[in-house]
Protein backbone atom coordinates (compact mmCIF):
# COMPACT_ATOMS: atom_id res chain seq x y z
CA UNK A 1 0.00 0.00 0.00
CA UNK A 2 2.69 2.45 1.04
CA UNK A 3 4.38 2.10 -2.33
CA UNK A 4 1.43 3.73 -4.09
CA UNK A 5 1.62 6.90 -1.99
CA UNK A 6 3.97 9.69 -2.90
CA UNK A 7 5.92 10.72 0.20
CA UNK A 8 6.07 14.40 -0.69
CA UNK A 9 2.31 14.51 -1.19
CA UNK A 10 1.48 12.73 2.06
CA UNK A 11 3.89 14.92 4.04
CA UNK A 12 2.60 18.15 2.51
CA UNK A 13 -1.05 17.36 3.25
CA UNK A 14 -0.29 15.62 6.55
CA UNK A 15 1.91 18.42 7.89
CA UNK A 16 -0.65 21.06 6.92
CA UNK A 17 -3.28 19.19 8.92
CA UNK A 18 -0.99 18.43 11.87
CA UNK A 19 0.34 21.95 12.30
CA UNK A 20 -3.04 23.66 11.96
CA UNK A 21 -4.51 21.11 14.36
CA UNK A 22 -1.91 22.06 16.95
CA UNK A 23 -2.47 25.78 16.44
CA UNK A 24 -6.23 25.37 16.90
CA UNK A 25 -5.61 23.23 19.96
CA UNK A 26 -3.84 26.20 21.50
CA UNK A 27 -7.25 27.87 21.80
CA UNK A 28 -8.37 25.33 24.40
CA UNK A 29 -9.11 27.33 27.52
CA UNK A 30 -8.82 30.67 25.69
CA UNK A 31 -11.69 30.86 23.22
CA UNK A 32 -14.11 33.80 23.54
CA UNK A 33 -17.17 31.62 24.24
CA UNK A 34 -17.71 28.00 25.18
CA UNK A 35 -19.29 27.10 21.83
CA UNK A 36 -16.16 28.32 20.03
CA UNK A 37 -13.93 26.45 22.41
CA UNK A 38 -15.75 23.29 21.40
CA UNK A 39 -15.91 24.18 17.71
CA UNK A 40 -12.19 24.91 17.37
CA UNK A 41 -11.29 21.76 19.30
CA UNK A 42 -13.54 19.69 17.05
CA UNK A 43 -11.99 21.16 13.92
CA UNK A 44 -8.56 20.46 15.39
CA UNK A 45 -9.61 16.87 16.05
CA UNK A 46 -10.75 16.37 12.45
CA UNK A 47 -7.42 17.72 11.23
CA UNK A 48 -5.46 15.56 13.65
CA UNK A 49 -7.31 12.50 12.39
CA UNK A 50 -6.44 13.41 8.80
CA UNK A 51 -2.81 14.00 9.77
CA UNK A 52 -2.58 10.61 11.48
CA UNK A 53 -3.87 8.80 8.41
CA UNK A 54 -1.62 10.75 6.03
CA UNK A 55 1.57 10.45 8.06
CA UNK A 56 0.93 6.75 8.72
CA UNK A 57 0.86 6.17 4.97
CA UNK A 58 4.54 7.05 4.74
CA UNK A 59 6.02 6.21 8.13
CA UNK A 60 5.51 6.08 11.87
CA UNK A 61 3.11 8.89 12.79
CA UNK A 62 4.73 9.61 16.16
CA UNK A 63 8.26 9.68 14.80
CA UNK A 64 7.20 11.99 12.00
CA UNK A 65 5.27 14.34 14.27
CA UNK A 66 7.57 14.44 17.26
CA UNK A 67 11.08 13.70 16.07
CA UNK A 68 11.51 15.69 12.89
CA UNK A 69 13.38 18.97 12.91
CA UNK A 70 11.78 22.18 11.71
CA UNK A 71 13.34 22.00 8.25
CA UNK A 72 11.86 18.57 7.61
CA UNK A 73 8.26 19.81 7.90
CA UNK A 74 6.52 20.40 4.58
CA UNK A 75 3.47 22.42 5.66
CA UNK A 76 2.64 25.76 4.09
CA UNK A 77 3.59 28.77 6.19
CA UNK A 78 -0.05 29.88 6.47
CA UNK A 79 -0.99 27.12 8.91
CA UNK A 80 1.94 27.78 11.26
CA UNK A 81 1.08 31.45 11.73
CA UNK A 82 0.26 32.26 15.37
CA UNK A 83 -3.39 32.37 16.39
CA UNK A 84 -3.31 36.12 16.99
CA UNK A 85 -6.72 37.46 17.97
CA UNK A 86 -9.89 35.55 17.10
CA UNK A 87 -10.16 37.36 13.77
CA UNK A 88 -6.68 36.14 12.77
CA UNK A 89 -7.66 32.58 13.53
CA UNK A 90 -10.84 32.94 11.50
CA UNK A 91 -9.02 34.50 8.54
CA UNK A 92 -6.50 31.65 8.60
CA UNK A 93 -9.41 29.18 8.75
CA UNK A 94 -11.16 30.86 5.84
CA UNK A 95 -8.10 30.84 3.61
CA UNK A 96 -7.02 27.34 4.51
CA UNK A 97 -10.34 25.48 4.73
CA UNK A 98 -11.36 26.88 1.33
CA UNK A 99 -8.08 25.61 -0.12
CA UNK A 100 -8.27 22.25 1.60
CA UNK A 101 -11.85 21.64 0.54
CA UNK A 102 -11.16 22.46 -3.11
CA UNK A 103 -7.97 20.37 -3.09
CA UNK A 104 -9.48 17.32 -1.36
CA UNK A 105 -12.50 17.56 -3.63
CA UNK A 106 -10.24 17.26 -6.66
CA UNK A 107 -8.16 14.45 -5.17
CA UNK A 108 -11.30 12.51 -4.29
CA UNK A 109 -12.72 12.96 -7.78
CA UNK A 110 -9.48 11.98 -9.52
CA UNK A 111 -9.54 8.71 -7.61
CA UNK A 112 -6.18 7.57 -8.94
CA UNK A 113 -3.82 8.42 -6.11
CA UNK A 114 -4.60 5.25 -4.17
CA UNK A 115 -4.92 5.70 -0.42
CA UNK A 116 -4.88 9.47 -0.72
CA UNK A 117 -8.14 9.45 -2.67
CA UNK A 118 -9.90 7.49 0.09
CA UNK A 119 -8.72 9.93 2.73
CA UNK A 120 -9.62 12.91 0.54
CA UNK A 121 -13.15 11.61 -0.07
CA UNK A 122 -13.68 11.29 3.65
CA UNK A 123 -11.95 14.49 4.72
CA UNK A 124 -13.69 16.71 2.17
CA UNK A 125 -16.97 16.16 3.99
CA UNK A 126 -15.45 17.18 7.32
CA UNK A 127 -13.73 20.20 5.82
CA UNK A 128 -17.07 21.41 4.39
CA UNK A 129 -18.09 22.12 7.99
CA UNK A 130 -14.79 23.86 8.72
CA UNK A 131 -15.28 26.13 5.73
CA UNK A 132 -18.87 26.85 6.69
CA UNK A 133 -17.74 27.75 10.21
CA UNK A 134 -15.07 30.12 8.89
CA UNK A 135 -17.47 31.75 6.41
CA UNK A 136 -20.15 32.38 9.00
CA UNK A 137 -17.66 34.01 11.35
CA UNK A 138 -16.11 36.07 8.56
CA UNK A 139 -19.56 37.44 7.71
CA UNK A 140 -20.40 38.10 11.33
CA UNK A 141 -17.14 39.85 12.15
CA UNK A 142 -16.71 41.68 8.85
CA UNK A 143 -20.29 42.92 8.79
CA UNK A 144 -20.46 43.41 12.55
CA UNK A 145 -19.33 46.30 14.71
CA UNK A 146 -16.69 48.85 13.62
CA UNK A 147 -14.28 47.10 15.99
CA UNK A 148 -14.92 43.60 14.63
CA UNK A 149 -14.78 44.88 11.04
CA UNK A 150 -11.46 46.59 11.69
CA UNK A 151 -9.95 43.50 13.28
CA UNK A 152 -11.19 41.16 10.55
CA UNK A 153 -9.82 43.53 7.92
CA UNK A 154 -6.45 43.61 9.65
CA UNK A 155 -6.33 39.82 9.90
CA UNK A 156 -7.33 39.17 6.28
CA UNK A 157 -4.71 41.65 5.11
CA UNK A 158 -1.94 40.33 7.35
CA UNK A 159 -2.35 36.72 6.22
CA UNK A 160 -2.88 37.51 2.54
CA UNK A 161 0.81 37.20 1.70
CA UNK A 162 0.81 33.57 2.84
CA UNK A 163 -1.89 32.50 0.40
CA UNK A 164 0.16 32.37 -2.79
CA UNK A 165 2.14 29.42 -1.50
CA UNK A 166 -0.97 27.25 -1.30
CA UNK A 167 -0.89 26.79 -5.06
CA UNK A 168 2.68 25.67 -5.52
CA UNK A 169 2.47 22.29 -7.23
CA UNK A 170 3.11 19.37 -4.88
CA UNK A 171 4.95 16.39 -6.28
CA UNK A 172 2.58 13.43 -6.54
CA UNK A 173 -0.65 15.43 -6.61
CA UNK A 174 -2.14 15.50 -10.07
CA UNK A 175 -4.07 18.74 -9.80
CA UNK A 176 -4.58 21.70 -12.09
CA UNK A 177 -3.08 24.22 -9.68
CA UNK A 178 -3.96 27.30 -11.69
CA UNK A 179 -7.58 26.31 -11.87
CA UNK A 180 -7.50 25.51 -8.14
CA UNK A 181 -6.11 28.97 -7.47
CA UNK A 182 -8.74 30.77 -9.51
CA UNK A 183 -11.53 28.75 -7.83
CA UNK A 184 -10.06 29.61 -4.45
CA UNK A 185 -9.83 33.27 -5.31
CA UNK A 186 -13.43 33.34 -6.53
CA UNK A 187 -14.70 31.62 -3.39
CA UNK A 188 -12.75 33.77 -0.93
CA UNK A 189 -13.61 36.96 -2.83
CA UNK A 190 -17.33 36.14 -2.66
CA UNK A 191 -17.18 35.65 1.11
CA UNK A 192 -15.15 38.80 1.73
CA UNK A 193 -17.50 40.88 -0.40
CA UNK A 194 -20.54 39.59 1.47
CA UNK A 195 -18.71 40.40 4.70
CA UNK A 196 -18.21 44.00 3.45
CA UNK A 197 -14.46 43.44 3.50
CA UNK A 198 -12.19 44.52 0.65
CA UNK A 199 -10.15 41.83 -1.04
CA UNK A 200 -6.58 42.59 0.08
CA UNK A 201 -4.54 44.07 -2.74
CA UNK A 202 -1.05 43.22 -1.50
CA UNK A 203 1.14 40.53 -3.07
CA UNK A 204 0.13 36.95 -2.31
CA UNK A 205 3.72 35.87 -2.17
CA UNK A 206 7.18 37.43 -2.27
CA UNK A 207 10.76 36.33 -2.26
CA UNK A 208 11.31 38.29 0.93
CA UNK A 209 8.56 36.63 2.89
CA UNK A 210 6.26 33.76 2.25
CA UNK A 211 6.25 30.78 0.02
CA UNK A 212 8.82 28.21 1.02
CA UNK A 213 7.14 26.04 3.64
CA UNK A 214 6.85 23.16 1.19
CA UNK A 215 10.64 23.29 0.84
CA UNK A 216 11.14 23.24 4.60
CA UNK A 217 11.68 26.94 5.22
CA UNK A 218 9.45 28.22 7.97
CA UNK A 219 8.66 31.44 9.78
CA UNK A 220 10.06 32.38 13.16
CA UNK A 221 7.17 31.31 15.32
CA UNK A 222 7.11 27.78 13.94
CA UNK A 223 10.20 26.70 15.86
CA UNK A 224 8.62 27.74 19.13
CA UNK A 225 5.42 25.92 18.26
CA UNK A 226 7.35 22.73 17.47
CA UNK A 227 9.33 22.99 20.70
CA UNK A 228 6.11 22.96 22.65
CA UNK A 229 4.49 20.27 20.51
CA UNK A 230 7.49 17.93 20.67
CA UNK A 231 8.67 18.63 24.21
CA UNK A 232 6.83 15.83 25.98
CA UNK A 233 7.71 13.13 23.49
CA UNK A 234 11.36 14.14 23.37
CA UNK A 235 11.61 14.29 27.17
CA UNK A 236 9.84 10.98 27.67
CA UNK A 237 10.33 8.89 24.52
CA UNK A 238 7.54 6.40 23.97
CA UNK A 239 5.41 7.80 26.79
CA UNK A 240 1.74 6.85 26.61
CA UNK A 241 -1.33 6.79 28.78
CA UNK B 1 -10.63 -29.30 8.39
CA UNK B 2 -12.88 -29.20 5.35
CA UNK B 3 -15.31 -26.37 5.79
CA UNK B 4 -18.08 -25.86 3.28
CA UNK B 5 -18.78 -22.38 1.96
CA UNK B 6 -22.21 -22.44 3.52
CA UNK B 7 -20.76 -23.23 6.97
CA UNK B 8 -18.18 -20.54 6.68
CA UNK B 9 -20.78 -17.97 5.66
CA UNK B 10 -22.92 -19.01 8.59
CA UNK B 11 -19.96 -18.56 10.94
CA UNK B 12 -19.14 -15.18 9.46
CA UNK B 13 -22.76 -14.17 9.80
CA UNK B 14 -22.77 -15.17 13.42
CA UNK B 15 -19.55 -13.27 14.10
CA UNK B 16 -20.90 -10.26 12.22
CA UNK B 17 -23.99 -10.32 14.38
CA UNK B 18 -21.82 -10.45 17.51
CA UNK B 19 -19.49 -7.67 16.37
CA UNK B 20 -22.46 -5.61 15.20
CA UNK B 21 -24.16 -5.90 18.57
CA UNK B 22 -21.30 -4.06 20.31
CA UNK B 23 -22.61 -0.71 21.58
CA UNK B 24 -21.06 2.51 20.35
CA UNK B 25 -18.77 3.78 23.13
CA UNK B 26 -20.01 7.36 22.90
CA UNK B 27 -23.65 6.72 21.98
CA UNK B 28 -24.33 3.48 23.85
CA UNK B 29 -27.98 3.40 22.71
CA UNK B 30 -26.70 2.53 19.23
CA UNK B 31 -24.99 -0.66 18.15
CA UNK B 32 -22.15 -0.58 15.65
CA UNK B 33 -24.48 -2.31 13.19
CA UNK B 34 -27.09 0.43 13.55
CA UNK B 35 -24.41 3.11 13.24
CA UNK B 36 -23.31 1.48 10.00
CA UNK B 37 -19.59 1.40 10.71
CA UNK B 38 -19.07 -2.37 10.42
CA UNK B 39 -17.83 -3.12 6.91
CA UNK B 40 -17.10 -6.83 7.04
CA UNK B 41 -16.09 -9.86 9.06
CA UNK B 42 -13.78 -12.37 7.39
CA UNK B 43 -12.67 -15.72 8.72
CA UNK B 44 -9.06 -15.97 7.55
CA UNK B 45 -8.38 -19.40 9.04
CA UNK B 46 -9.19 -21.53 12.05
CA UNK B 47 -9.50 -19.14 14.98
CA UNK B 48 -8.41 -16.16 12.85
CA UNK B 49 -10.83 -13.39 12.10
CA UNK B 50 -10.42 -9.97 10.55
CA UNK B 51 -13.02 -7.26 11.11
CA UNK B 52 -13.27 -4.17 8.91
CA UNK B 53 -14.42 -1.01 10.61
CA UNK B 54 -14.88 2.46 9.15
CA UNK B 55 -14.63 5.62 11.29
CA UNK B 56 -17.48 8.13 11.36
CA UNK B 57 -14.99 11.04 11.36
CA UNK B 58 -11.31 10.60 10.46
CA UNK B 59 -10.25 11.76 13.90
CA UNK B 60 -12.99 9.97 15.84
CA UNK B 61 -11.34 8.79 19.08
CA UNK B 62 -14.07 6.17 19.60
CA UNK B 63 -12.53 3.91 16.96
CA UNK B 64 -9.94 2.55 19.37
CA UNK B 65 -12.60 1.70 21.95
CA UNK B 66 -14.76 0.09 19.24
CA UNK B 67 -11.84 -2.03 18.08
CA UNK B 68 -10.98 -3.31 21.53
CA UNK B 69 -14.66 -3.99 22.32
CA UNK B 70 -15.03 -6.04 19.13
CA UNK B 71 -11.84 -7.97 19.90
CA UNK B 72 -13.07 -8.74 23.39
CA UNK B 73 -16.51 -9.90 22.28
CA UNK B 74 -15.16 -12.19 19.56
CA UNK B 75 -12.46 -13.60 21.84
CA UNK B 76 -15.08 -14.35 24.46
CA UNK B 77 -16.89 -16.22 21.73
CA UNK B 78 -13.86 -18.44 21.21
CA UNK B 79 -11.96 -16.69 18.43
CA UNK B 80 -8.38 -16.36 19.74
CA UNK B 81 -6.93 -14.24 16.92
CA UNK B 82 -9.00 -11.15 16.11
CA UNK B 83 -7.66 -8.22 14.15
CA UNK B 84 -9.64 -5.05 13.50
CA UNK B 85 -8.59 -2.92 10.55
CA UNK B 86 -9.99 0.49 9.66
CA UNK B 87 -11.05 1.20 6.10
CA UNK B 88 -11.78 4.72 4.83
CA UNK B 89 -13.24 4.01 1.44
CA UNK B 90 -16.07 4.36 0.66
CA UNK B 91 -16.41 7.14 3.21
CA UNK B 92 -18.99 6.66 5.94
CA UNK B 93 -22.09 8.78 5.67
CA UNK B 94 -24.89 9.50 8.13
CA UNK B 95 -27.12 7.82 5.53
CA UNK B 96 -25.51 4.58 6.74
CA UNK B 97 -27.31 4.87 10.09
CA UNK B 98 -30.23 2.43 10.07
CA UNK B 99 -33.88 3.41 10.55
CA UNK B 100 -33.82 1.71 13.93
CA UNK B 101 -30.68 3.65 14.79
CA UNK B 102 -32.38 6.93 13.93
CA UNK B 103 -35.38 6.04 16.06
CA UNK B 104 -33.12 5.25 19.02
CA UNK B 105 -31.15 8.49 18.59
CA UNK B 106 -34.36 10.56 18.75
CA UNK B 107 -35.53 8.58 21.77
CA UNK B 108 -32.18 9.28 23.43
CA UNK B 109 -32.65 13.03 22.92
CA UNK B 110 -30.45 13.47 19.84
CA UNK B 111 -32.09 14.71 16.65
CA UNK B 112 -31.15 12.18 13.94
CA UNK B 113 -29.40 13.30 10.75
CA UNK B 114 -31.49 14.08 7.70
CA UNK B 115 -31.14 11.85 4.66
CA UNK B 116 -28.80 13.24 2.05
CA UNK B 117 -28.83 10.70 -0.75
CA UNK B 118 -25.83 11.11 -3.06
CA UNK B 119 -24.31 14.62 -3.20
CA UNK B 120 -21.62 13.94 -0.61
CA UNK B 121 -19.41 16.79 -1.75
CA UNK B 122 -22.21 19.33 -2.02
CA UNK B 123 -22.59 22.28 0.31
CA UNK B 124 -23.43 21.75 3.95
CA UNK B 125 -27.19 21.20 4.07
CA UNK B 126 -28.93 23.63 6.39
CA UNK B 127 -32.39 24.15 5.01
CA UNK B 128 -34.74 21.31 6.02
CA UNK B 129 -36.31 21.58 9.44
CA UNK B 130 -34.78 19.65 12.31
CA UNK B 131 -37.28 18.40 14.84
CA UNK B 132 -36.80 18.90 18.57
CA UNK B 133 -36.35 15.43 20.10
CA UNK B 134 -38.08 16.60 23.29
CA UNK B 135 -41.32 18.25 22.16
CA UNK B 136 -41.35 17.47 18.44
CA UNK B 137 -41.48 21.09 17.29
CA UNK B 138 -39.75 21.93 14.03
CA UNK B 139 -39.03 25.46 15.30
CA UNK B 140 -35.39 24.95 16.21
CA UNK B 141 -32.30 27.09 15.79
CA UNK B 142 -28.61 26.38 15.38
CA UNK B 143 -26.43 27.42 18.31
CA UNK B 144 -23.14 25.93 17.13
CA UNK B 145 -22.04 23.76 14.23
CA UNK B 146 -19.88 21.77 16.61
CA UNK B 147 -21.04 20.21 19.86
CA UNK B 148 -19.98 17.61 22.42
CA UNK B 149 -18.45 15.46 19.70
CA UNK B 150 -17.36 16.12 16.12
CA UNK B 151 -20.44 14.37 14.75
CA UNK B 152 -22.99 16.61 16.48
CA UNK B 153 -24.21 20.20 16.24
CA UNK B 154 -25.81 22.09 19.12
CA UNK B 155 -29.35 23.38 18.59
CA UNK B 156 -32.14 24.87 20.67
CA UNK B 157 -35.86 24.41 20.40
CA UNK B 158 -37.62 27.77 20.25
CA UNK B 159 -40.89 26.15 21.37
CA UNK B 160 -39.81 24.32 24.54
CA UNK B 161 -36.49 26.21 24.92
CA UNK B 162 -34.51 23.03 25.51
CA UNK B 163 -31.07 22.76 23.92
CA UNK B 164 -30.34 19.48 22.16
CA UNK B 165 -27.71 17.74 20.09
CA UNK B 166 -28.28 17.13 16.40
CA UNK B 167 -26.35 14.33 14.70
CA UNK B 168 -25.25 16.42 11.75
CA UNK B 169 -25.26 15.18 8.19
CA UNK B 170 -21.96 13.90 6.86
Amino acid sequence: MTATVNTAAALALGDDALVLSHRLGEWAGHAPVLEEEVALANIALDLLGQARVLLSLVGDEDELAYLREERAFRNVQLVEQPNGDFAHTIARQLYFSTYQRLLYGRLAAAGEVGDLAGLAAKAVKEVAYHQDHAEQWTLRLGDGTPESHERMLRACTALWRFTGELFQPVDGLDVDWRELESDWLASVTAVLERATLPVPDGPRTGAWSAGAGRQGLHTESFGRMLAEMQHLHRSHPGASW
Amino acid sequence: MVTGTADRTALEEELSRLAGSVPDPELPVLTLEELGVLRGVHVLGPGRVQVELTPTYTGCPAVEAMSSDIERVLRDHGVPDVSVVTVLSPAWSTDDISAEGRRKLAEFGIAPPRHQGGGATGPVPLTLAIRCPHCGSTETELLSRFSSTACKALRRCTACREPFDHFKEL
Side-chain angles (χ1 to χ4, degrees), chain A residues 50-70:
Chain A
Q50 295 162 17
R52 292 185 63 182
V53 171
L54 287 160
L55 296 182
S56 296
L57 290 175
V58 292
D60 178 272
E61 54 176 330
D62 284 342
E63 279 181 25
L64 288 168
Y66 295 127
L67 297 176
R68 271 183 301 162
E69 302 284 345
E70 182 180 336

Side-chain angles (χ1 to χ4, degrees), chain A residues 1 13 20 37 55 57 72 80 82-83 115 122 124 135 158 161-162 172 177 179 189-190 202 220 230 235 237:
Chain A
M1 282 292 206
L13 300 178
L20 186 56
E37 180 100 6
L55 296 182
L57 290 175
E80 74 201 30
N83 287 336
D115 292 348
K122 177 136 197 75
V124 73
E135 281 189 22
R161 71 176 195 271
F162 295 103
W177 295 92
E179 184 196 70
T189 299
E220 188 187 345
Q230 297 183 335
S235 305

Side-chain angles (χ1 to χ4, degrees), chain A residues 116-176:
Chain A
L116 278 184
L119 183 270
K122 177 136 197 75
V124 73
K125 302 201 291 177
E126 299 165 358
V127 174
Y129 280 100
H130 305 178
Q131 189 189 16
D132 185 54
H133 172 262
E135 281 189 22
Q136 298 305 321
W137 270 113
T138 303
L139 297 179
R140 190 165 160 189
L141 295 175
D143 196 13
T145 65
E147 172 75 9
S148 73
H149 178 88
E150 183 55 35
R151 285 190 182 221
M152 200 61 214
L153 174 64
R154 211 182 303 153
C156 288
T157 308
L159 293 173
W160 191 244
R161 71 176 195 271
F162 295 103
T163 59
E165 187 192 2
L166 299 172
F167 309 100
Q168 278 184 19
V170 174
D171 190 30
L173 298 184
D174 186 17
V175 169
D176 183 338

Side-chain angles (χ1 to χ4, degrees), chain A residues 184-233:
Chain A
W184 179 89
L185 207 52
S187 175
V188 167
T189 299
V191 176
L192 292 179
E193 281 175 355
R194 280 172 62 210
T196 71
L197 292 162
V199 177
D201 57 3
R204 296 193 25 248
T205 186
W208 52 273
S209 64
R214 295 270 189 247
Q215 287 78 49
L217 295 178
H218 296 282
T219 51
E220 188 187 345
S221 60
F222 186 53
R224 289 196 291 273
M225 193 208 95
L226 272 191
E228 188 170 291
M229 188 177 96
Q230 297 183 335
H231 164 71
L232 187 72
H233 190 89

